[in-house]
Amino acid sequence: MKLIKPCLLALTTVLFLNCTSKKELASLKNSYKNDFYIGTALSADQIEEKDQKVDSLIRKEFNAITAENIMKSMFVHPEKGKYDFALTDKFISYGKKNKMFIHGHTLIWHSQLAPWMEKIKDSTEMKAFMKDHITTIVSKYKGKIDSWDVVNEALNEDGTLRKSVFLNTLGEQYLIDAFKLAAAADPKTDLYYNDYNNEEPAKRKGTINLIKKIKEAGGKVDGVGIQAHWRLESPSLEEIETSILEYSALGIKVAFTELDITVLPNPWDLKGADINQNFEGSAKMNPYPEKLPDSVQEKLAQRYSDIFKLFLKHKDKISRVTFWGVHDGQSWLNDWPIKGRTNYPLLFDKQLKPKKGFEALIELKK
């Protein structure tokens, strides 16, 4: 029997261990650690670590977290004078334990309000509500939350201000007040304006004007959040790049805050992420109920690859890229805008296996 020389055996072992080690370290957060944070949105079950496999995947792949729902007004401030911080406390503890960047979502938003908030008609009462709501929440987590979506989705598609209970009672001053109140409660946390479709020209222009007005009035705006609920064919890379450049020119950070890519047809060419829209479905609108065809899987991977190439080109301007969910089974797009559809918008399937899109993003950094 031919013996392997000790030095050759040692070299082989080292090479094997190095290869194994590299394979184990091939995660999103490690691959992009010198570029920008890679985040995900956590559900209540994930915050409470109810599934060990999901929890392991989150800790391996992501270094930033956003609460998918539990920090929205209806949950954290269900009644006047009553707050419920139980799950938010667990969310903060989860991020701190795993040394993650923690993003707060969201302070002022027209949707998912507690019913009592929607009934406020008086400007004095609304001012008092905003001061109490923002100051109480931001102060409680001062020094613990790294950034906040202060105002969420305040614009229409044409860039004008959305008619909301806040605009109706206070006018556009509510936007300035919100950012001033958040900055006063925690001067060191980063404050963002967050919206969808704000990479499109008209809404982008409206967002830029809004941020300028807030800053000129003495409000602190550190960044803009582009939600990035996108499609296989749109928006164009050119519009995304223009948005990065124009927002960055304001002297603020750019974050992609809710990234997912739908592979399903949009009824009536629907765009955006207004959760109040809903449509009755048909087989035509749910073409992949069991499995995503390889050809579409390839398109999805290519789309993610093209987008991240652009992100890397402008990594000096981008603070964070957060996926809106950990895996396909969790995605809100399974139920929006048509309930019961099966969508495949993320990098991990519902069995938690990495998809071709994941492999494409890892390959970009090799």
Side-chain angles (χ1 to χ4, degrees):
M1 185 173 84
K2 189 174 180 181
L3 295 173
I4 300 175
K5 293 181 180 179
C7 59
L8 183 58
L9 181 61
L11 180 61
T12 304
T13 303
V14 168
L15 288 172
F16 174 76
L17 289 172
N18 282 344
C19 290
T20 304
S21 176
K22 283 180 181 177
K23 190 173 182 181
E24 287 172 352
L25 291 173
S27 67
L28 292 169
K29 71 176 185 183
N30 286 330
S31 296
Y32 291 86
K33 65 182 177 182
N34 297 320
D35 307 312
F36 35 71
Y37 286 106
I38 297 288
T40 189
L42 300 184
S43 68
D45 284 352
Q46 290 162 354
I47 290 166
E48 296 193 279
E49 303 175 56
K50 289 188 175 180
D51 187 318
Q52 190 176 346
K53 287 183 179 178
V54 175
D55 186 56
S56 295
L57 180 65
I58 293 166
R59 288 187 285 107
K60 178 177 182 285
E61 299 296 339
F62 304 102
N63 54 15
I65 51 171
T66 301
E68 187 178 25
N69 273 305
I70 59 99
M71 293 179 75
K72 292 171 182 173
S73 297
M74 65 185 291
F75 299 110
V76 82
H77 198 173
E79 298 174 30
K80 189 174 182 178
K82 180 184 177 183
Y83 288 88
D84 184 352
F85 292 121
L87 274 175
T88 302
D89 286 347
K90 288 182 179 180
F91 170 72
I92 302 299
S93 296
Y94 185 93
K96 188 175 181 182
K97 177 177 69 175
N98 293 300
K99 298 178 180 177
M100 293 169 162
F101 183 95
I102 301 171
H103 181 71
H105 176 77
T106 175
L107 293 169
I108 298 297
W109 186 31
H110 68 276
S111 192
Q112 287 186 268
L113 290 169
W116 70 271
M117 297 173 187
E118 296 175 344
K119 295 173 183 173
I120 299 173
K121 304 295 182 187
D122 178 71
S123 61
T124 303
E125 188 180 353
M126 180 58 80
K127 266 194 167 184
F129 156 71
M130 279 185 54
K131 184 175 182 180
D132 176 68
H133 184 79
I134 294 173
T135 305
T136 299
I137 297 170
V138 178
S139 297
K140 176 176 171 59
Y141 297 110
K142 182 179 180 180
K144 297 177 181 179
I145 286 184
D146 299 293
S147 61
W148 278 100
D149 287 331
V150 178
V151 179
N152 198 48
E153 301 175 5
L155 296 173
N156 296 311
E157 295 304 293
D158 63 359
T160 59
L161 289 174
R162 181 195 290 271
K163 291 288 175 67
S164 67
V165 65
F166 306 108
L167 188 69
N168 291 342
T169 52
L170 295 175
E172 60 184 283
Q173 182 65 34
Y174 90 87
L175 295 151
I176 297 161
D177 290 348
F179 279 89
K180 284 186 174 181
L181 287 165
D186 187 351
K188 292 184 179 179
T189 190
D190 278 353
L191 306 180
Y192 279 74
Y193 173 72
N194 189 57
D195 214 327
Y196 61 86
N197 283 357
N198 53 346
E199 71 283 341
E200 300 287 350
K203 202 166 189 180
R204 179 171 66 233
K205 185 178 179 182
T207 304
I208 289 169
N209 289 337
L210 175 61
I211 291 169
K212 282 181 176 178
K213 280 184 181 179
I214 295 169
K215 293 182 82 172
E216 285 166 4
K220 175 179 177 280
V221 184
D222 299 291
V224 62
I226 299 172
Q227 289 185 13
H229 295 296
W230 290 338
R231 299 155 294 282
L232 288 173
E233 307 297 337
S234 62
S236 69
L237 294 175
E238 289 75 20
E239 290 296 358
I240 299 170
E241 183 168 36
T242 298
S243 299
I244 295 170
L245 294 171
E246 291 191 6
Y247 287 134
S248 181
L250 297 174
I252 60 175
K253 300 172 184 178
V254 179
F256 294 89
T257 56
E258 304 181 18
L259 177 59
D260 48 28
I261 299 172
T262 181
V263 298
L264 300 184
N266 255 336
W268 309 316
D269 196 32
L270 182 70
K271 292 182 179 181
D274 187 338
I275 63 169
N276 295 315
Q277 297 177 88
N278 225 309
F279 299 83
E280 287 189 14
S282 66
K284 185 179 179 182
M285 288 292 154
N286 189 29
Y288 319 122
E290 301 299 330
K291 183 184 176 185
L292 193 64
D294 288 343
S295 59
V296 185
Q297 195 82 259
E298 291 286 353
K299 285 181 183 178
L300 181 62
Q302 188 61 54
R303 177 68 164 153
Y304 268 120
S305 181
D306 292 342
I307 288 167
F308 267 72
K309 281 177 188 173
L310 180 62
F311 288 173
L312 288 170
K313 179 181 177 183
H314 296 291
K315 63 183 182 179
D316 60 317
K317 304 170 188 69
I318 296 171
S319 56
R320 174 172 53 92
V321 178
T322 290
F323 294 87
W324 205 240
V326 178
H327 59 86
D328 287 342
Q330 173 192 359
S331 176
W332 69 293
L333 288 170
N334 291 311
D335 285 314
W336 184 91
I338 299 169
K339 287 195 176 295
R341 294 204 297 180
T342 305
N343 213 324
Y344 306 82
L346 298 168
L347 298 183
F348 298 92
D349 66 22
K350 58 186 177 181
Q351 281 81 40
L352 311 184
K353 292 178 181 175
K355 294 157 62 178
K356 289 181 180 178
F358 171 86
E359 294 166 6
L361 297 193
I362 297 297
E363 192 64 32
L364 278 182
K365 295 298 294 179
K366 283 185 178 177

